[in-house]
């Protein structure tokens, strides 16, 4: 059982005007930890720590309760049409976290109290685009599941999307406390995916996260609850025995699911940006992540910064490999994308 227990909780002053902000203020008053008001959730100062690594660890133990003011929803290809930002960062400490580039070296964990307003904006977008379906990604800026006991934001979003004829919700997590979601009315409008990798990679690089077995058990639970579900396998590393290790991973997934299960798969090969690399080296100085630009291919991404990808030949080979592996293990499964 994993429970995020922040060492300190900082409240944006105006967040207390929202019922969730006021409730959390009361809740954390009862507990033994630092709690204080700050003028804006974007201005977090005074965290302890001297080295970048220490400051990073303290940021990950810091919960900021704030108001999401950005109205315009950002795009979120290839996983969805738009981001639905309910939280930012997460208490996990993955060395290759996709947020190293955007959140920098002090990724404090933020939850937003104005969930009604965020969902109202989603409703407006859905309305404007109907009869086209609009999909929203709830994990573009965070792993939202560890915050669920505090915010209830996922539950609220799932029930909101259950009523949306033309709106769909999806989020991905490495965490496993899915029980509060299992009995919700979802109408098959929310897809829950689990971010996994082979055991060795999880053990080496994904600190403060549940192990593979626990994630697969959680996936089996959401599948049994009737949710559309799937797996994000990222980042794929082309280690010398990658074909063997990823075949073993699929054997493990199969062991937890019925043969007729229909998970989706999203496969993302390892990539890094220069900024991400600098941040990783600063906060994980002992990391042995492969971050050498040599042998990699440089490409500009959708958010305006370039990234280093594996060579095209390696990616083509892997795409073919997984294109055969998935239907062999899950005849009803579906590969959504390989990048
Ligand atoms: S669980 Fe996801 S969001 Fe959290 S640190 Fe790991 S990769 Fe980043």
């Amino acid at each position: 059982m994993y429970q995020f227990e922040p060492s300190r909780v900082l409240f944006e002053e105006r967040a207390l005007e929202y019922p969730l902000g006021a409730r959390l203020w009361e809740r954390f008053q009862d507990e033994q930890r630092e709690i204080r008001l700050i003028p804006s959730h974007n201005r977090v100062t005074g965290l302890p720590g001297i080295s970048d690594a220490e400051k990073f660890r303290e940021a990950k133990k810091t919960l900021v309760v704030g108001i999401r003011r950005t109205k315009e929803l950002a795009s979120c290809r290839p996983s969805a049409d738009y981001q639905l930002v309910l939280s930012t960062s997460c208490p996990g400490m993955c060395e290759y976290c996709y947020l190293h580039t955007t959140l920098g070296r002090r990724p404090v964990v933020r939850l937003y109290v104005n969930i009604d307003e965020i969902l109202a904006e989603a409703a407006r977008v859905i309305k404007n685009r109907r009869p086209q379906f609009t999909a929203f990604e709830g994990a573009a800026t965070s792993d939202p599941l560890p915050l669920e006991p505090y915010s209830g934001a996922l539950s609220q979003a799932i029930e909101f999307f259950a009523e949306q004829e033309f709106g769909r919700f999806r989020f991905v997590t490495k965490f496993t406390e899915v029980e509060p979601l299992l009995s919700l009315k979802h109408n098959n409008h929310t897809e829950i995916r689990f971010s996994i990798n082979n055991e060795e990679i999880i053990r080496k690089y994904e600190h403060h996260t549940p192990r593979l077995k626990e994630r697969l058990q959680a996936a089996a639970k959401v599948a049994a609850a009737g949710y559309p579900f799937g797996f994000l396998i990222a980042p794929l590393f082309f280690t010398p025995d990658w074909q063997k290790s990823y075949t073993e991973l699929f054997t493990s997934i199969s062991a937890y699911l019925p043969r007729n299960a229909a998970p989706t798969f999203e496969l993302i090969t390892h990539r890094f940006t220069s900024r991400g690399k600098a941040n990783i080296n600063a906060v994980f100085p002992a990391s042995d992540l492969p971050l050498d630009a040599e042998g990699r291919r440089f490409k500009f991404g959708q958010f305006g910064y370039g990234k280093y990808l594996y060579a095209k030949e390696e990616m083509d080979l892997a795409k073919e490999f997984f294109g055969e592996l998935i239907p062999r293990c899950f005849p009803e499964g579906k590969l959504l994308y390989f990048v």
Side-chain angles (χ1 to χ4, degrees):
M1 176 80 184
Y2 177 85
Q3 166 80 41
F4 172 42
E5 293 291 352
S7 299
R8 65 194 65 79
V9 188
L10 313 182
F11 287 82
E12 182 174 347
E13 284 165 11
R14 286 208 41 225
L16 300 185
E17 295 168 14
Y18 289 76
L20 175 57
R23 268 203 315 277
L24 289 172
W25 176 260
E26 288 305 317
R27 173 179 183 155
F28 286 114
Q29 293 290 342
D30 293 342
E31 300 176 22
Q32 298 303 311
R33 67 190 101 214
E34 178 191 348
I35 125 166
R36 62 183 153 95
L37 292 171
I38 54 174
S40 158
H41 73 82
N42 286 322
R43 256 182 285 146
V44 176
T45 53
L47 296 186
I50 295 169
S51 66
D52 278 324
E54 285 168 352
K55 287 179 182 166
F56 177 82
R57 281 198 296 277
E58 292 300 332
K60 287 279 188 169
K61 290 191 259 174
T62 302
L63 176 63
V64 175
V65 178
I67 300 168
R68 175 84 183 164
R69 293 198 172 76
T70 314
K71 282 275 181 294
E72 200 164 311
L73 303 179
S75 84
C76 195
R77 293 288 175 196
S79 96
D81 297 301
Y82 293 101
Q83 301 181 1
L84 190 78
V85 177
L86 301 167
S87 51
T88 304
S89 187
C90 102
M93 302 249 288
C94 303
E95 294 184 24
Y96 44 54
C97 179
Y98 61 112
L99 301 172
H100 285 310
T101 298
T102 49
L103 298 186
R105 298 179 191 180
R106 315 275 182 275
V108 292
V109 183
R110 292 189 178 87
L111 71 75
Y112 302 109
V113 293
N114 54 330
I115 303 166
D116 289 340
E117 292 166 12
I118 296 167
L119 294 176
E121 181 58 16
R124 192 188 65 77
V125 171
I126 294 166
K127 189 173 171 205
N128 287 347
R129 285 168 48 101
R130 68 186 178 190
Q132 210 179 330
F133 283 91
T134 305
F136 295 83
E137 171 62 74
T141 55
S142 74
D143 188 319
L145 192 57
L147 294 169
E148 188 62 9
Y150 297 123
S151 73
L154 286 175
S155 300
Q156 198 175 330
I158 289 168
E159 291 184 325
F160 165 83
F161 279 98
E163 303 302 323
Q164 302 300 314
E165 187 179 1
F166 296 105
R168 296 293 179 269
F169 183 47
R170 58 201 317 262
F171 68 91
V172 60
T173 184
K174 285 185 169 71
F175 290 84
T176 52
E177 275 61 50
V178 292
E179 275 71 15
L181 312 182
L182 298 180
S183 57
L184 298 176
K185 181 180 168 202
H186 58 74
N187 270 349
N188 297 331
H189 290 185
T190 291
E191 182 185 8
I192 303 179
R193 301 109 78 214
F194 291 85
S195 170
I196 56 173
N197 219 312
N198 65 52
E199 297 260 24
E200 174 67 6
I201 289 173
I202 290 177
R203 188 189 56 72
K204 241 173 126 177
Y205 299 121
E206 298 185 1
H207 317 294
H208 298 193
T209 61
R211 302 298 84 178
L212 175 64
K213 182 179 160 195
E214 297 164 277
R215 295 182 211 177
L216 295 177
Q217 286 169 336
K221 286 181 197 168
V222 305
Y227 277 97
F229 76 106
F231 297 98
L232 177 79
I233 307 181
L236 292 170
F237 285 107
F238 300 150
T239 54
D241 67 345
W242 67 268
Q243 295 180 327
K244 179 171 171 284
S245 59
Y246 285 115
T247 302
E248 285 167 4
L249 174 61
F250 271 77
T251 306
S252 301
I253 304 171
S254 306
Y256 285 87
L257 297 171
R259 175 84 181 147
N260 65 353
T264 59
F265 290 90
E266 293 153 87
L267 306 184
I268 304 177
T269 54
H270 182 244
R271 68 263 329 273
F272 60 90
T273 63
S274 298
R275 180 160 190 246
K277 175 178 172 173
N279 289 339
I280 292 166
N281 286 336
V283 302
F284 295 107
S287 176
D288 69 353
L289 267 178
L291 298 174
D292 193 347
E294 200 171 321
R296 293 291 181 112
R297 173 167 58 104
F298 184 76
K299 190 180 168 203
F300 270 106
Q302 63 175 320
F303 298 109
Y305 40 74
K307 44 196 169 185
Y308 293 91
L309 312 175
Y310 278 114
K312 185 169 182 316
E313 301 69 39
E314 290 175 290
M315 288 184 54
D316 287 347
L317 179 66
K319 190 173 183 182
E320 193 183 330
F321 172 82
F322 286 105
E324 288 169 10
L325 182 61
I326 291 170
R328 205 162 67 236
C329 297
F330 294 101
E332 307 294 323
K334 189 172 174 195
L335 174 60
L336 297 185
Y337 59 83
F338 175 102
V339 292

